[in-house]
Amino acid sequence: MAYQDLAMLYDRLMADAPYEQWVSFTEFCVRNYNLKPANQLLDLGCGTGRLTCQLAEAGYTVTGVDLSEHMLTEASARALNANLAINWIKQDISKLEGFQDLDIIVSYCDVINYLPGEESVRAALHAIAQSLRNQGLFIFDVHSIKHVRDNMVNQVFSEVADDFSYIWFCEQGSQIGEMIHDLTFFVKDRTDSVYHRFEEQHNQLTYSALYYQQLLYDAGFSTIDIFANFQQTKLVADQADEQGDRLFFVCKK
């Protein structure tokens, strides 16, 4: 999952993603949890930096972390064009290091679901907790079990545009909450008008809200609240899985 070819298409594929809502939810959490100061923010799985730049424009001092050099190249160009001072760092978030006393860490757009298994999730959550100051916030979202079951597995998605097209098969993995995404792209070359094909496979794995809650307590977080679909009503962990497609966890160290 190197995103080598996908990086150049990513922003177009994500054109309708709810970036403004992610920013608004972050600011709701800062207010609601009375986080002061709320300056130093780390964006994990920042991709091409669209959300990272919006968070910087909202006034945060932001660092973006991603595993893909190609995505970070796109992100750096975006920040340069917007005249934003953002640090970009290539790291695996399950091996996060070099950060301490941060006010806020965010990881949106189901980035945590890309971690390959329980031990990787445990390692990431522990490293994230260690990177925050006391009372700092970690905010992230994941696919709900309901969303994976009802809307994703055994589905086919596609798009045809003038200069690219794709077909995307989403298959059930070997366990509940696991998805295997097989994507085939056809992209028109700007120089010779020939369509070039490339393929990517992405694996995602989600867990129950109750299990995430336990992992977060084990990692050292003292307060864990659960929300769904950008709503501001807290959910009970053992009922949250069926109450939204995208679950949000707001975790105070």
Side-chain angles (χ1 to χ4, degrees):
M1 193 185 63
Y3 285 92
Q4 179 172 348
D5 295 301
L6 187 57
M8 62 182 178
L9 290 176
Y10 186 82
D11 284 334
R12 294 181 64 185
L13 297 172
M14 295 289 289
D16 296 327
Y19 292 105
E20 289 77 12
Q21 288 179 277
W22 278 312
V23 174
S24 295
F25 190 80
T26 303
E27 299 199 307
F28 154 73
C29 292
V30 168
R31 294 191 306 271
N32 193 58
Y33 292 83
N34 196 30
L35 186 66
K36 296 178 181 179
N39 300 319
Q40 299 293 327
L41 186 149
L42 184 64
D43 182 14
L44 297 179
C46 63
T48 59
R50 184 170 168 186
L51 175 62
T52 323
C53 288
Q54 290 189 23
L55 289 165
E57 289 168 344
Y60 300 101
T61 300
V62 185
T63 297
V65 170
D66 204 277
L67 187 57
S68 168
E69 289 186 15
H70 297 88
M71 298 290 260
L72 290 172
T73 297
E74 298 288 331
S76 180
R78 179 190 299 278
L80 184 63
N81 289 338
N83 197 29
L84 293 170
I86 298 174
N87 291 323
W88 305 102
I89 297 176
K90 181 179 183 292
Q91 276 196 33
D92 180 341
I93 66 173
S94 67
K95 301 174 183 177
L96 191 67
E97 61 181 1
F99 301 99
Q100 59 183 1
D101 296 328
L102 293 167
D103 300 315
I104 313 168
I105 299 177
V106 301
S107 189
Y108 291 131
C109 199
D110 44 88
V111 165
I112 297 298
N113 292 143
Y114 283 96
L115 294 171
E118 178 186 330
E119 291 309 310
S120 183
V121 175
R122 283 186 181 275
L125 296 180
H126 177 78
I128 289 165
Q130 294 301 306
S131 301
L132 285 167
R133 66 169 174 84
N134 288 335
Q135 305 299 307
L137 290 182
F138 174 42
I139 312 165
F140 70 100
D141 65 23
V142 293
H143 293 306
S144 69
I145 293 289
K146 169 184 177 294
H147 179 57
V148 172
R149 180 192 68 222
D150 295 347
N151 302 323
M152 297 299 295
V153 296
N154 301 320
Q155 299 295 318
V156 179
F157 309 92
S158 63
E159 181 177 348
V160 177
D162 290 339
D163 55 347
F164 79 94
S165 63
Y166 71 82
I167 185 166
W168 163 16
F169 296 91
C170 181
E171 300 176 353
Q172 173 71 55
S174 61
Q175 57 186 302
I176 293 173
E178 184 178 12
M179 297 180 285
I180 302 170
H181 307 288
D182 286 308
L183 301 101
T184 301
F185 291 87
F186 300 89
V187 182
K188 187 177 183 180
D189 191 292
R190 295 179 180 178
T191 59
D192 58 15
S193 297
V194 173
Y195 284 82
H196 298 276
R197 171 176 173 165
F198 70 90
E199 298 178 353
E200 297 219 4
Q201 184 178 90
H202 296 197
N203 289 22
Q204 287 191 296
L205 177 61
T206 199
Y207 302 97
S208 70
L210 199 61
Y211 190 60
Y212 279 118
Q213 184 184 64
Q214 185 58 57
L215 292 175
L216 288 159
Y217 280 131
D218 291 347
F221 290 96
S222 61
T223 302
I224 300 157
D225 292 324
I226 305 171
F227 303 83
N229 299 343
F230 297 102
Q231 300 300 309
Q232 298 177 8
T233 302
K234 294 179 185 179
L235 304 178
V236 178
D238 61 1
Q239 301 174 13
D241 296 313
E242 298 297 322
Q243 296 187 32
D245 292 340
R246 186 181 297 278
L247 299 182
F248 288 79
F249 291 79
V250 182
C251 318
K252 179 177 283 190
K253 183 175 176 181

